[in-house]
Amino acid sequence: MCTSLWVCAASGFLCCLHWTGRAQSFSVGPTPETSENVDVNICSDNVASVGMCGEAASFTISLRTVDNITVMIKLRPGVSPGCQIHVKNVIRSELKIKPGDNVTFTFTCSTPEKYFIMEIQKNIDCVSGLCPFGDVHLYPPGLPRLNRTFIWDVKASTKAGLELKFSNPWLRQIEPGETCPDFVSYTINSCIDTATVNIGTFCRNGSVSRVKLLGGVVMSLHLPWDSSLSTSGFSIANRASIKRLCIIESILKGESSITLMSPNYPLGFPEDELMTWQFVVPSNMRASVFFHNYSLSNCERKEERVEYYIPGSLSNPEVFKLSDSQPANIAGSFNLSLQGCDQDAQNPGILRLLFQVVVQHPQVDENVTHLVDLSKEWNMTVTIHFEGWPSRIPLMSELICLVCKDPRTCDRVLTLVSGAIYKISFLCKDLSHLRITAEKSISCVDLRWCQRKIYSLSVPKTITQLPIRLHKFIWKLLAPDLINIEITSPSLKLQQHVPEQRCNTSYSYSIVSATPETELNVGVFCPGGSIEKIQLRNNITISLKTFGKGFLNESNHQDLKMSFVPHIKVLIPLFFSFATDECTFTVSPDPKARVYLQTPNWPYGLPPYVSISWYIIVPSKQVARLGFSKNRMGIVCETGRAYVNIKEETLGAEETVCREDEQLPEPRNMYHDFWVNVSNCKPVDKTQLTLQFWVTLPDTGWLGWVNELFLLSPNAPKSQNPMVGVYNANVNTQVPGRQGLFTKGRKNNESHVYAVIDDAMVYGHLLKESNGSVAPEVDVYRPFDGPIGSLPPSPPPFSFRKDIKCSSNTEEPPPLTDIDHDTYTFAHQKSEQLEDNGDKNEKNNGDTSMSLLENKEQDDLVE
């Protein structure tokens, strides 16, 4: 019974050590190679050695002449000679032991595997002598534990090739430079006359069960120094004439994927040669072939091709070009052959091939076809692919989903083009791994024709009806010079995706505008917002991207449209000529929610010298509230100036202009449609112009209008006297719950109509005499006590002074409120008119034909 175990460095096998005395001597039990015991001493340096302590490990290699074996021990390439070989009192760096030699040697170090490698070559003559059929053994035994390569050089006639058979678990071919997990590899070379062809390098655990070669073969087995492999793993089966370079047999069991390469890969396949791969596939499985990497040589005669022999096929052999889609969904075993050609001697080129064979179970719905009708589409491609394509290429070992145009034409990526009708099927257990990406181009050549046309940017139903998810649909819109592209969403409108206003729909649109100089990411938009249209001056790419499974239902309501229009007409002036207006947004704010809008290219900033405009539509008889999300632009200009312009679309409206070094306006009320323009300079490094603003439509009643117009503070004098406002009597602004405030009916009179109220009239009691002017008379207006009609009037909206400079201390009008005030102060030129009207109102009980001013005066003022 063993009392301890020791791995003997000298022999490379497990020894049973028995304690024999008080000294350091042990008895080693019989080794696998001998039945005799060996005395082993454990020296003080813990190195096991054969013989006396202080000596290095000793090895004896005895080779018989009949075996025709040569052993070569030499330094590893690139390693400094830190260890040597000691033979008969001679120190050397390498040792060659030939057939018939008997050599004993030692190493001058305890770790020779770090410095030396060993080659054991056996020459076998199957031409003039008997061929040693059967298993090939690892010989001689008892070799030092070094990285070693066993080489079998077998000579054979080209008329009788050799067959190498590998024991289970067979072999797996690897690409040049790739290593095996256990560092055990096989290299097979074919020898025809003086030419050598590298058939391939293989690891263990694969599907390659046999290799038949024309002529001789050089078979190499590479073992690491610590490998315990004791058999070669192959045999020489027999000789057979194959009339081609080689035949590689691959046995595929169950669902699997293998990769194979042509001989000499990635170098060229021999000229005008033929080779075959034989695939043994269970009858209940399906195989598909995919060419991943190939190149063609320059042929003078014949043509390079691949040929398939498929049992049951009506056209064996089936011939394909290497550029063709290869057969798929093959039932049972089949052969694949590669045929070279006569190459151009001056420029031969390279024929090479790397391909994959995938074996899968038949799919449940493989006989179910889906119609994709693209016959009425133009300039469109539809690509069906696995999830993550093209950023993630599946591993060759992965089982993949296949898309088939017909039962034998399948691939992991299938592209369909417009103008045709397809019947496709899927070889995939889980269709959720498949995605659709489509692309359509729309261009305008003749504006006279395309300007009259509105194009629908919707996904065709033939795509949405497929049982796989649409990942992305891309429209590439190409416009000629001086022609713009207008994007509209008539019914749904668009919402810009911003942090404060995120899209929660099943799809969104990414809009990118591109010129030869720059690319502008306009933003991400989704349906259900306030943006009515976007007009851009460059070529546009719109990418519809889906999220989740809800797009199938929402796709029925798509209404995105586009048209080609003349160049953008910006209604507000640009303050510097080198700014180009890239796009204009038309926005109708939602009265129920705050609308957020931000500059394109967020968060990287507008490109230099680019101008963006927003046209905000304010509904009639309503007021909009405009505010910016930060108080400054946040940039420093290197060249030019950056501006924010705000201007209402009304006669005599003021224009607010803010530079990049000034504060942005505080929230303000806008009473007409208005423009917001952002124009960029060339910023200094590390500063970007990113701006966000919001628009709301406050819910205000009649009293709020009155407060906004008439609640005036004595601390708010104005430097100019423009027209304050014109009252519109045809406004439906009934305030719920406030009907009893006015008790006098005024349905049919005009006593409540005010034509013009001047600043001097409003502030008359506050102004002092200046430059000869006299303060006007002031009167007090008190509310009526009588009944009021059902439609209370709306107050006159503000108009603004012209060309107002942006300032940080600009005072804003007070917010709209519904607070009641009993007294309102007016300025007037004739106090008698107000009193006379009041008397007439009392007499006529709310029915009068007279206005506050005479008709002629009113007409003059309105004009």
Side-chain angles (χ1 to χ4, degrees):
M1 180 177 180
C2 288
T3 57
S4 63
L5 295 178
W6 189 272
V7 177
C8 299
S11 56
F13 50 84
L14 196 62
C15 305
C16 182
L17 305 182
H18 304 275
W19 179 256
T20 58
R22 57 184 176 87
Q24 300 161 328
S25 177
F26 289 85
S27 174
V28 181
T31 69
E33 270 59 52
T34 178
S35 60
E36 299 178 356
N37 290 346
V38 180
D39 289 335
V40 178
N41 292 328
I42 306 301
C43 303
S44 59
D45 61 355
N46 293 327
V47 176
S49 63
V50 178
M52 298 299 295
C53 289
E55 297 182 4
S58 176
F59 302 92
T60 298
I61 297 178
S62 179
L63 300 177
R64 298 183 303 178
T65 303
V66 68
D67 292 333
N68 204 9
I69 293 177
T70 301
V71 176
M72 183 72 181
I73 301 175
K74 55 186 177 181
L75 286 172
R76 298 177 60 177
V79 175
S80 59
C83 188
Q84 292 181 314
I85 305 171
H86 187 194
V87 182
K88 294 181 180 181
N89 299 323
V90 178
I91 300 298
R92 58 180 66 184
S93 59
E94 64 179 35
L95 176 63
K96 184 176 182 180
I97 306 173
K98 296 179 290 185
D101 289 349
N102 188 346
V103 179
T104 300
F105 60 94
T106 59
F107 296 103
T108 61
C109 63
S110 59
T111 56
E113 69 275 3
K114 296 181 179 179
Y115 302 94
F116 293 99
I117 59 174
M118 183 165 48
E119 291 181 357
I120 306 97
Q121 179 171 328
K122 180 178 177 63
N123 296 323
I124 301 173
D125 186 359
C126 287
V127 177
S128 58
L130 294 176
C131 205
F133 297 126
D135 293 338
V136 175
H137 300 285
L138 297 182
Y139 188 85
L143 298 173
R145 291 171 63 81
L146 305 176
N147 289 356
R148 52 204 182 276
T149 301
F150 290 90
I151 302 172
W152 295 271
D153 188 349
V154 185
K155 300 292 189 297
S157 170
T158 57
K159 296 180 180 180
L162 291 173
E163 178 181 329
L164 304 180
K165 186 177 181 180
F166 300 95
S167 56
N168 214 340
W170 303 321
L171 302 183
R172 173 177 62 89
Q173 190 172 9
I174 61 174
E175 296 186 51
E178 187 179 352
T179 58
C180 299
D182 58 1
F183 301 101
V184 176
S185 64
Y186 296 83
T187 301
I188 305 174
N189 290 277
S190 175
C191 299
I192 304 175
D193 299 327
T194 59
T196 300
V197 179
N198 179 18
I199 303 302
T201 301
F202 303 81
C203 301
R204 296 192 295 172
N205 297 318
S207 65
V208 176
S209 57
R210 287 191 298 175
V211 175
K212 298 178 183 179
L213 302 111
L214 181 66
V217 61
V218 176
M219 180 73 182
S220 303
L221 170 61
H222 308 275
L223 298 177
W225 69 271
D226 57 349
S227 174
S228 60
L229 190 65
S230 60
T231 60
S232 68
F234 75 97
S235 62
I236 301 176
N238 55 44
R239 288 180 290 186
S241 177
I242 59 174
K243 297 181 180 180
R244 60 197 68 203
L245 176 63
C246 65
I247 299 175
I248 299 176
E249 180 186 77
S250 181
I251 300 177
L252 299 162
K253 293 184 177 180
E255 292 191 322
S256 58
S257 173
I258 62 170
T259 301
L260 294 165
M261 285 144 272
S262 58
N264 275 350
Y265 186 89
L267 303 178
F269 186 68
E271 181 180 9
D272 196 25
E273 278 289 358
L274 172 67
M275 72 158 296
T276 299
W277 290 273
Q278 294 179 338
F279 298 101
V280 180
V281 181
S283 59
N284 63 336
M285 306 295 284
R286 299 292 184 268
S288 301
V289 180
F290 305 99
F291 286 4
H292 292 291
N293 192 4
Y294 68 88
S295 63
L296 303 176
S297 58
N298 298 316
C299 298
E300 281 189 343
R301 291 184 301 168
K302 296 189 294 186
E303 185 180 14
E304 297 166 336
R305 63 189 184 275
V306 288
E307 299 178 352
Y308 291 85
Y309 181 85
I310 301 173
S313 174
L314 300 178
S315 58
N316 279 325
E318 298 185 19
V319 180
F320 291 80
K321 295 180 180 180
L322 275 71
S323 58
D324 293 337
S325 294
Q326 303 302 309
N329 201 27
I330 303 172
S333 302
F334 67 98
N335 292 353
L336 165 61
S337 298
L338 173 64
Q339 174 67 65
C341 66
D342 291 328
Q343 299 172 349
D344 183 349
Q346 300 299 322
N347 183 23
I350 294 177
L351 170 61
R352 61 186 171 196
L353 172 63
L354 181 148
F355 65 99
Q356 178 188 15
V357 178
V358 176
V359 176
Q360 295 174 288
H361 286 289
Q363 305 305 305
V364 176
D365 61 346
E366 65 176 326
N367 295 324
V368 177
T369 60
H370 303 271
L371 185 68
V372 182
D373 187 356
L374 303 179
S375 59
K376 297 180 181 179
E377 298 291 342
W378 292 88
N379 299 325
M380 188 169 81
T381 59
V382 178
T383 302
I384 304 174
H385 53 87
F386 62 89
E387 185 177 9
W389 177 91
S391 60
R392 188 186 78 86
I393 302 299
L395 300 175
M396 292 185 183
S397 58
E398 289 186 55
L399 295 177
I400 54 178
C401 290
L402 303 179
V403 188
C404 305
K405 287 194 294 186
D406 57 63
R408 288 277 306 283
T409 306
C410 306
D411 207 335
R412 71 179 78 203
V413 178
L414 181 63
T415 299
L416 313 176
V417 297
S418 56
I421 300 176
Y422 299 90
K423 290 184 178 180
I424 64 173
S425 59
F426 305 105
L427 298 180
C428 185
K429 287 185 176 180
D430 188 356
L431 293 179
S432 65
H433 294 307
L434 290 176
R435 297 288 184 268
I436 300 176
T437 298
E439 182 175 304
K440 182 179 179 67
S441 296
I442 302 176
S443 60
C444 178
V445 179
D446 185 355
L447 183 62
R448 292 172 299 177
W449 178 82
C450 58
Q451 191 174 2
R452 300 191 300 267
K453 184 175 177 60
I454 297 178
Y455 301 85
S456 175
L457 303 184
S458 59
V459 181
K461 289 187 177 180
T462 189
I463 295 177
T464 59
Q465 290 174 352
L466 289 173
I468 52 182
R469 174 181 156 188
L470 173 67
H471 172 64
K472 186 180 291 186
F473 198 107
I474 301 171
W475 290 274
K476 292 190 174 181
L477 313 179
L478 309 177
D481 293 339
L482 302 178
I483 299 302
N484 294 324
I485 295 173
E486 185 173 275
I487 309 298
T488 62
S489 182
S491 61
L492 297 178
K493 300 183 184 178
L494 295 176
Q495 170 190 315
Q496 187 171 14
H497 179 82
V498 299
E500 296 81 3
Q501 180 180 270
R502 296 183 179 273
C503 293
N504 58 1
T505 55
S506 65
Y507 64 99
S508 66
Y509 300 100
S510 174
I511 303 179
V512 176
S513 170
T515 63
E517 298 82 17
T518 184
E519 182 177 274
L520 183 69
N521 184 1
V522 179
V524 175
F525 304 86
C526 54
S530 300
I531 300 175
E532 289 190 350
K533 63 182 178 181
I534 306 173
Q535 193 175 130
L536 304 106
R537 76 179 187 93
N538 302 314
N539 295 335
I540 307 300
T541 297
I542 301 178
S543 301
L544 181 151
K545 190 172 182 180
T546 64
F547 309 94
K549 300 179 180 180
F551 177 72
L552 183 60
N553 295 328
E554 294 188 14
S555 64
N556 297 325
H557 308 291
Q558 297 176 84
D559 75 335
L560 198 66
K561 313 287 184 185
M562 68 81 55
S563 56
F564 295 99
V565 297
H567 63 84
I568 300 175
K569 296 180 180 178
V570 182
L571 299 183
I572 62 174
L574 299 179
F575 285 83
F576 39 96
S577 60
F578 50 77
T580 56
D581 200 57
E582 295 293 337
C583 65
T584 299
F585 300 84
T586 300
V587 184
S588 293
D590 185 350
K592 298 180 180 179
R594 175 176 288 192
V595 178
Y596 288 91
L597 301 165
Q598 67 186 20
T599 51
N601 245 39
W602 191 279
Y604 305 107
L606 280 179
Y609 310 130
V610 164
S611 177
I612 307 296
S613 299
W614 291 264
Y615 182 62
I616 315 297
I617 298 175
V618 180
S620 178
K621 309 150 186 122
Q622 287 190 263
V623 62
R625 187 84 169 159
L626 167 67
F628 291 86
S629 298
K630 57 183 181 181
N631 58 5
R632 287 186 179 271
M633 296 188 207
I635 65 167
V636 178
C637 290
E638 179 181 315
T639 305
R641 306 305 295 260
Y643 290 92
V644 172
N645 301 36
I646 305 170
K647 183 180 180 180
E648 283 192 299
E649 274 288 287
T650 186
L651 183 64
E654 72 172 10
E655 183 167 350
T656 301
V657 183
C658 296
R659 292 188 323 216
E660 81 283 352
D661 57 350
E662 298 174 325
Q663 286 193 3
L664 295 171
E666 296 293 328
R668 59 178 54 196
N669 294 332
M670 313 297 286
Y671 299 90
H672 303 276
D673 299 349
F674 64 95
W675 287 89
V676 175
N677 172 267
V678 178
S679 301
N680 198 14
C681 60
K682 181 183 179 182
V684 300
D685 292 341
K686 298 182 180 180
T687 61
Q688 301 290 345
L689 177 52
T690 56
L691 205 60
Q692 184 189 87
F693 63 93
W694 50 263
V695 179
T696 60
L697 296 176
D699 184 12
T700 59
W702 186 87
L703 288 178
W705 284 95
V706 173
N707 292 335
E708 187 69 16
L709 179 62
F710 300 123
L711 262 186
L712 303 173
S713 168
N715 296 322
K718 296 186 179 181
S719 59
Q720 299 183 27
N721 298 322
M723 180 176 63
V724 176
V726 177
Y727 173 63
N728 184 352
N730 300 318
V731 180
N732 183 355
T733 55
Q734 180 175 352
V735 183
R738 315 291 282 197
Q739 293 89 338
L741 180 62
F742 289 92
T743 58
K744 186 175 180 178
R746 300 182 296 172
K747 292 183 179 180
N748 298 317
N749 66 41
E750 295 181 344
S751 64
H752 55 287
V753 176
Y754 307 93
V756 177
I757 303 174
D758 190 86
D759 275 4
M761 298 167 63
V762 176
Y763 289 102
H765 66 295
L766 301 175
L767 300 177
K768 294 182 179 180
E769 187 173 321
S770 176
N771 296 328
S773 62
V774 181
E777 297 178 66
V778 177
D779 202 351
V780 176
Y781 172 77
R782 299 185 184 279
F784 291 102
D785 295 326
I788 187 173
S790 59
L791 298 177
S794 62
F798 281 95
S799 67
F800 295 103
R801 296 170 298 178
K802 299 180 181 178
D803 301 327
I804 300 300
K805 188 70 176 177
C806 184
S807 174
S808 59
N809 59 358
T810 302
E811 293 191 16
E812 297 295 331
L816 300 178
T817 62
D818 281 339
I819 303 173
D820 295 343
H821 294 273
D822 293 335
T823 302
Y824 305 92
T825 302
F826 289 82
H828 57 85
Q829 294 175 342
K830 295 180 181 181
S831 60
E832 296 86 355
Q833 291 175 339
L834 181 61
E835 295 172 357
D836 292 342
N837 271 341
D839 295 338
K840 292 178 182 179
N841 288 340
E842 291 291 336
K843 295 177 181 178
N844 296 328
N845 193 21
D847 187 11
T848 178
S849 60
M850 297 296 295
S851 63
L852 179 63
L853 301 177
E854 296 293 331
N855 289 336
K856 185 176 183 304
E857 292 177 336
Q858 182 178 5
D859 294 339
D860 293 340
L861 287 173
V862 171
E863 292 176 2

